[in-house]
Amino acid sequence: MTTPDKNAPLSAPPRRLNWNDPGVRSVVYQVLALAAVAWAVWFLVSNTLHNLSVRNIATGFGFLSREAGFAIGETPIAYSPASDYGRAILVGLLNTLRVAIIGIVLATILGTLIGIGRLSKNWLVAKVASVYVEVMRNIPLLLQLFFWYALITENMPGPRQAHNPLPGVFISNRGLKVPALEGNSLDWMLIGLGVAIVAIIFLGHWGKKRQEATGRVFPLGRAAIGLLIGLPIVGWLISGASLTLDMPELKGFNFSGGLTLSPEFAALLAGLVIYTSAFIAEVVRSGIQAVNNGQWEAAGSLGLRRKQVLRLVVLPQALRVIIPPMTSQYLNLTKNSSLAVAIGYPDIVSVVNTTLNQTGQAIEGILIIMAAYLTVSLSISIFMNWYNKRIALVER
């Protein structure tokens, strides 16, 4: 017969279900909340399906394979009225992505310059930047879109009297016409451009490590310009230099050839960039001001010029403050692109509206729009959150 060990730890008494126990109550409340949400979702879905069946309205996404039967003004991929609804919606999504991506890049550049301008020691530059921010962010975006669209379509001359500021460049109420590159070398040049961008990213990372180890600054700007120009030229030479310049020409009542920037796209892009850049400028200004003044003084005592201090010392620290609110502005620009339907730009909202008017699949159409914007917005958030973690301070 073994004697019990007096030094052995005592086992916890079994837990009994008691309403006075906070843990038990929390579990019960969570189960009840989940049950209520599940019941609400079931009720809404079943009620919707019942009403649709009573009215003999078809459900499902089978209509996506049917012929669309309507034209789209701007098609980045091959499309015709004989294409199906699925391809039409894809065209609308690509148009949305195009204006969102270009808008984010341009708004970031313009907003950063204006935000830095607000902190300039030049009185005129600082006041002009301040007026820009206060005016543009307090005018509703929809009114700005109407203004830019009317400015292009109503005040610009017709194609025969189009402005010709540069050879091959024409500005009229039909939009902007510029020369376009054509030929087999174009694909190779784009590959060279992609390789150049990847090389610049690696050079920037290597240059940062080199600067931390030796204190020597790598001239990334000059290297980037050389790569962006040189590698596409190398691709052009490798492919046999088969590249031609398609110049726009006036034929009849409109231009033919070249690359067209439609009035709808130009007005939407201008409105989104100008409106969003005003908010980005404030984000950049607040981020720079969040950096301690001692950083300016310490860098200045080393003999660095103000531009060098801003680029090498202040902005890298300000990014940790700038990135989170900047993400919100990128999401706002992407979602605000849905206002394109007001000026006739064929984005995903416009295309889906036409689709549901023809098919009567209103619920499915709205679900497609919601899923598209949700996917794009989550993609932007994931990328910006990854970048934010990458530049965050690491505590030791």
Side-chain angles (χ1 to χ4, degrees):
M1 179 175 177
T2 59
T3 58
D5 188 1
K6 295 181 179 180
N7 297 325
L10 297 175
S11 59
R15 190 169 186 175
R16 298 180 179 178
L17 296 179
N18 189 345
W19 185 252
N20 294 325
D21 188 346
V24 174
R25 290 202 305 270
S26 65
V27 172
V28 173
Y29 289 147
Q30 292 180 53
V31 171
L32 292 177
L34 289 175
V37 171
W39 178 84
V41 171
W42 172 83
F43 174 78
L44 291 174
V45 172
S46 61
N47 187 56
T48 301
L49 294 176
H50 172 72
N51 291 333
L52 291 174
S53 63
V54 168
R55 291 165 177 78
N56 294 323
I57 299 177
T59 58
F61 294 91
F63 69 95
L64 293 176
S65 59
R66 286 156 45 189
E67 181 179 324
F70 62 91
I72 299 177
E74 299 185 44
T75 56
I77 59 175
Y79 173 82
S80 69
S83 302
D84 55 35
Y85 286 111
R87 192 166 187 82
I89 294 173
L90 177 60
V91 170
L93 177 60
L94 292 177
N95 284 337
T96 297
L97 291 176
R98 180 174 63 167
V99 73
I101 293 172
I102 298 175
I104 286 174
V105 173
L106 295 181
T108 301
I109 297 172
L110 181 60
T112 301
L113 294 176
I114 294 172
I116 295 173
R118 289 205 67 180
L119 301 175
S120 174
K121 292 184 177 181
N122 186 304
W123 182 88
L124 181 60
V125 172
K127 291 302 178 184
V128 169
S130 299
V131 170
Y132 176 91
V133 170
E134 296 302 328
V135 171
M136 294 306 172
R137 71 175 182 172
N138 287 295
I139 298 178
L141 176 58
L142 186 59
L143 293 181
Q144 294 193 36
L145 295 182
F146 287 147
F147 170 79
W148 292 112
Y149 185 65
L151 182 67
I152 296 173
T153 58
E154 300 296 335
N155 295 331
M156 289 294 159
R160 291 182 178 274
Q161 294 81 31
H163 299 302
N164 186 207
L166 296 172
V169 178
F170 299 94
I171 304 174
S172 68
N173 56 10
R174 303 290 180 89
L176 175 66
K177 294 289 293 189
V178 296
L181 294 174
E182 292 183 348
N184 297 328
S185 297
L186 186 59
D187 293 337
W188 283 91
M189 293 179 67
L190 291 176
I191 292 174
L193 181 63
V195 173
I197 294 173
V198 174
I200 291 170
I201 294 174
F202 278 103
L203 278 177
H205 183 72
W206 173 81
K208 183 178 179 181
K209 296 293 184 182
R210 176 174 177 263
Q211 182 179 351
E212 292 174 354
T214 64
R216 299 172 60 186
V217 179
F218 179 74
L220 182 61
R222 284 177 289 177
I225 294 175
L227 288 171
L228 290 175
I229 296 176
L231 289 184
I233 293 177
V234 171
W236 173 66
L237 294 174
I238 291 175
S239 61
S242 59
L243 194 67
T244 58
L245 190 64
D246 184 18
M247 301 291 290
E249 297 179 358
L250 181 64
K251 292 184 178 179
F253 296 99
N254 203 353
F255 292 96
S256 64
L259 184 65
T260 303
L261 187 67
S262 69
E264 294 80 12
F265 179 80
L268 178 63
L269 185 63
L272 289 174
V273 169
I274 291 173
Y275 180 76
T276 308
S277 64
F279 291 91
I280 291 178
E282 285 296 274
V283 171
V284 172
R285 178 191 62 80
S286 61
I288 293 175
Q289 289 184 325
V291 179
N292 195 291
N293 287 332
Q295 299 291 321
W296 290 90
E297 297 169 357
S301 66
L302 297 176
L304 296 177
R305 292 176 296 178
R306 185 175 176 83
K307 292 181 180 179
Q308 292 177 316
V309 175
L310 181 65
R311 180 171 62 88
L312 300 175
V313 178
V314 175
L315 278 180
Q317 298 182 65
L319 277 177
R320 300 181 179 98
V321 181
I322 291 173
I323 293 301
M326 189 78 82
T327 303
S328 299
Q329 297 307 321
Y330 291 166
L331 295 176
N332 287 338
L333 186 148
T334 302
K335 290 181 287 187
N336 286 337
S337 67
S338 61
L339 294 174
V341 67
I343 57 174
Y345 179 71
D347 70 330
I348 188 170
V349 176
S350 175
V351 173
V352 172
N353 280 341
T354 304
T355 299
L356 64 88
N357 285 334
Q358 291 185 355
T359 62
Q361 309 289 138
I363 295 177
E364 291 82 356
I366 298 301
L367 287 176
I368 290 173
I369 296 175
M370 292 171 60
Y373 279 105
L374 180 63
T375 303
V376 174
S377 297
L378 287 179
S379 300
I380 295 173
S381 297
I382 291 171
F383 173 78
M384 294 301 292
N385 289 335
W386 168 82
Y387 183 69
N388 186 43
K389 290 181 181 179
R390 184 176 178 82
I391 65 172
L393 288 173
V394 179
E395 297 184 0
R396 301 181 182 181

